[in-house]
């Protein structure tokens, strides 16, 4: 799957709502169907960003725990 | 040009909106809005449009700030008394958002200069306080195929509608200016300051919707509210086929200055 990922952004330490803003900026530069990998902190970030991403019509295809962080793969809708 | 880190933070609450996003904010940043009158309606409209990041804001006003303006024209502060309203407004806009290009037009709009000014903008906000100016703005925007927001306030009442080429225009609803002195001006009748804020911010929201191209504009509808009872209603209307400016056989094909009530004209300073 990694080989298909078009862009990766590390949002460790980036709080709400700027983590969602940065995710939207990254998604805006991709084409529909492209994969984006986002690193998000536990807590508020991982609770809110994937939900907001889904509300905008994108798909969360993978969520992997990396200890205090999460690796989330999003397919642009 | 991609948005800077500063812009991403400043406009984050817009960008996270599904209907705005990065793309919508970029449209706002490229947008050019003309505000006619830096008064009760133009003041809140200018403040919100500046905060929203509208790239170019034009302000038309030939007046200077007067103490009686301060009760509702919230872009002007007490130390601004005596200062040209366009300068006072420009200073506040740049304090809110230094990224705005402010174009000041320190003059009144007339038949001879209005078309040259409005053609430089995407959207026009009518924040004037007299009927001759409102009809002139309508006719000029119809002839130039320019979208605009009409707004009017008096006492506790407000009304607003949006025109885009093809929709009903102000003259479809109100055929011609009322006779001189048939309707009192704000100076004679008074107005609740907050009513100006309510209406000016509705006009700003319409301008932003127009720029981002989302939602449904207040076209073919007149929004009327009465703040004493806080009742809002929307009156639907249609394009008038016999409208003298946008109808099938228009009789108004050029601009003229309408008669101005003498009380509307300030003494030159």
């Amino acid at each position: 799957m990694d080989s298909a990922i078009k862009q990766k952004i590390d949002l460790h330490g980036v709080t709400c709502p700027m983590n969602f803003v940065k995710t939207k900026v990254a998604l805006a530069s991709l084409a529909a169907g492209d994969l984006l990998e986002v690193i998000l902190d536990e807590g508020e970030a991982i609770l809110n960003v994937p939900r907001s991403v889904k509300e905008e019509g994108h798909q969360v295809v993978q969520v992997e725990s990396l200890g205090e962080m999460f690796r989330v793969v999003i397919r642009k809708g | 040009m991609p948005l800077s880190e500063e812009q991403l933070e400043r406009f984050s609450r817009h960008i996270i909106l599904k209907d705005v996003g990065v793309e919508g904010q970029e449209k706002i940043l490229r947008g050019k809005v003309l505000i006619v009158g830096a008064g009760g309606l133009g003041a809140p409209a200018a403040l919100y449009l500046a905060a929203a990041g509208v790239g170019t804001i034009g302000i038309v006003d030939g007046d200077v700030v007067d103490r009686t303006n301060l009760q509702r024209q919230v872009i002007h502060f007490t130390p601004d008394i005596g200062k040209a309203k366009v300068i006072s407004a420009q200073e506040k806009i740049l304090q809110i958002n230094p990224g705005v290009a402010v174009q000041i037009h320190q003059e009144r709009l007339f038949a001879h200069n209005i078309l040259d000014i409005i053609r430089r903008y995407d959207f026009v906000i009518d924040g004037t306080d007299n009927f001759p100016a409102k009809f002139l703005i309508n006719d000029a925007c119809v002839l130039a195929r320019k979208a605009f927001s009409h707004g009017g306030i008096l006492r506790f009442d407000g009304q607003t509608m949006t025109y885009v080429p093809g929709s009903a225009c102000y003259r479809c609803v109100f055929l011609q200016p009322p006779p001189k002195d048939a309707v009192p001006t704000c100076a004679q009748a008074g107005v609740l300051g907050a009513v100006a804020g309510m209406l000016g911010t509705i006009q700003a929201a319409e301008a932003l919707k127009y720029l981002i191209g989302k939602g449904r504009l207040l076209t073919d509808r007149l929004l009327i509210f009465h703040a004493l009872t806080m009742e809002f209603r929307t009156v639907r209307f249609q394009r008038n086929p016999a409208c003298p400016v946008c109808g099938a056989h228009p009789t108004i094909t050029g601009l003229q200055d309408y008669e101005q009530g003498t009380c509307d004209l300030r003494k030159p300073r």
Side-chain angles (χ1 to χ4, degrees):
Chain A
M1 176 171 264
D2 265 23
S3 58
I5 286 172
K6 275 278 165 65
Q7 197 182 336
K8 297 181 183 189
I9 47 171
D10 183 356
L11 299 179
H12 171 52
V14 181
T15 55
C16 295
M18 287 309 293
N19 43 23
F20 182 44
V21 170
K22 298 259 169 112
T23 304
K24 283 189 75 161
V25 171
L27 284 166
S29 67
L30 298 180
D34 283 351
L35 295 178
L36 171 72
E37 179 189 289
V38 186
I39 302 299
L40 291 168
D41 287 333
E42 63 180 354
E44 215 186 354
I46 190 64
L47 289 174
N48 286 294
V49 176
R51 183 175 58 194
S52 302
V53 161
K54 281 188 244 174
E55 279 170 7
E56 299 217 343
H58 308 293
Q59 224 184 328
V60 175
V61 295
Q62 198 186 342
V63 179
E64 182 191 342
S65 174
L66 309 170
E68 292 177 353
M69 286 177 277
F70 287 83
R71 174 178 169 274
V72 178
V73 179
I74 301 161
R75 187 189 303 277
K76 181 167 173 167
Chain B
M1 206 173 67
L3 298 180
S4 67
E5 280 294 308
E6 193 270 346
Q7 288 175 314
L8 290 179
E9 280 190 29
R10 179 184 286 271
F11 305 119
S12 60
R13 296 306 192 277
H14 272 166
I15 294 169
I16 60 181
L17 287 172
K18 188 173 188 293
D19 287 319
V20 181
V22 178
E23 198 187 324
Q25 186 61 45
E26 285 173 344
K27 287 178 181 169
I28 293 171
L29 289 163
R30 286 194 299 269
K32 298 174 182 172
V33 178
L34 179 70
I35 300 171
V36 186
L41 304 177
L47 294 173
Y48 274 98
L49 293 179
V54 171
T56 303
I57 298 178
I59 308 273
V60 184
D61 205 306
D63 274 346
V64 297
V65 179
D66 182 277
R67 187 170 284 112
T68 63
N69 300 151
L70 302 177
Q71 160 261 13
R72 66 197 176 286
Q73 301 180 13
V74 293
I75 204 166
H76 309 302
F77 302 164
T78 303
D80 297 318
I81 292 171
K83 191 183 281 182
K85 284 188 176 178
V86 287
I87 301 293
S88 166
Q90 180 184 40
E91 289 171 359
K92 309 319 181 318
I93 288 171
L94 293 176
Q95 283 179 48
I96 292 175
N97 181 356
V100 178
V102 186
Q103 314 276 353
I104 57 174
H105 307 276
Q106 193 173 349
E107 56 194 318
R108 291 181 78 97
L109 288 186
F110 294 104
H112 70 85
N113 63 359
I114 185 169
L115 288 171
D116 183 51
I117 293 176
I118 66 173
R119 69 176 172 80
R120 306 174 214 176
Y121 298 90
D122 304 317
F123 191 89
V124 176
I125 289 183
D126 169 14
T128 63
D129 62 355
N130 64 85
F131 288 103
K134 293 192 183 303
F135 280 86
L136 179 67
I137 290 168
N138 179 73
D139 296 351
C141 287
V142 170
L143 293 176
R145 300 184 60 78
K146 187 74 67 184
F148 81 99
S149 166
H150 154 80
I153 49 168
L154 195 66
R155 300 190 184 102
F156 296 93
D157 298 291
Q159 69 173 38
T160 177
M161 58 166 274
T162 301
Y163 166 83
V164 298
S167 75
C169 80
Y170 181 59
R171 220 182 251 281
C172 290
V173 195
F174 305 100
L175 211 54
Q176 58 188 24
K180 256 197 294 180
D181 293 332
V183 179
T185 63
C186 282
Q188 295 159 2
V191 63
L192 190 74
V195 165
M198 291 166 68
L199 200 80
T201 49
I202 291 173
Q203 293 184 285
E206 287 288 286
L208 293 170
K209 282 163 57 188
Y210 180 80
L211 292 178
I212 63 176
K214 288 288 169 72
R216 177 169 160 242
L217 290 165
L218 195 56
T219 49
D220 299 322
R221 293 179 290 156
L222 184 70
L223 173 69
I224 301 167
F225 66 82
H226 182 56
L228 266 189
T229 52
M230 208 49 88
E231 281 175 324
F232 286 68
R233 64 197 178 98
T234 307
V235 182
R236 295 175 158 280
F237 58 87
Q238 288 183 331
R239 200 166 160 183
N240 175 7
C243 174
V245 67
C246 79
H249 305 287
T251 53
I252 298 169
T253 53
L255 297 175
Q256 57 157 338
D257 293 313
Y258 303 102
E259 218 177 335
Q260 187 91 35
T262 45
C263 62
D264 294 337
L265 288 173
R266 308 265 162 84
K267 290 190 197 95
R269 285 164 202 255

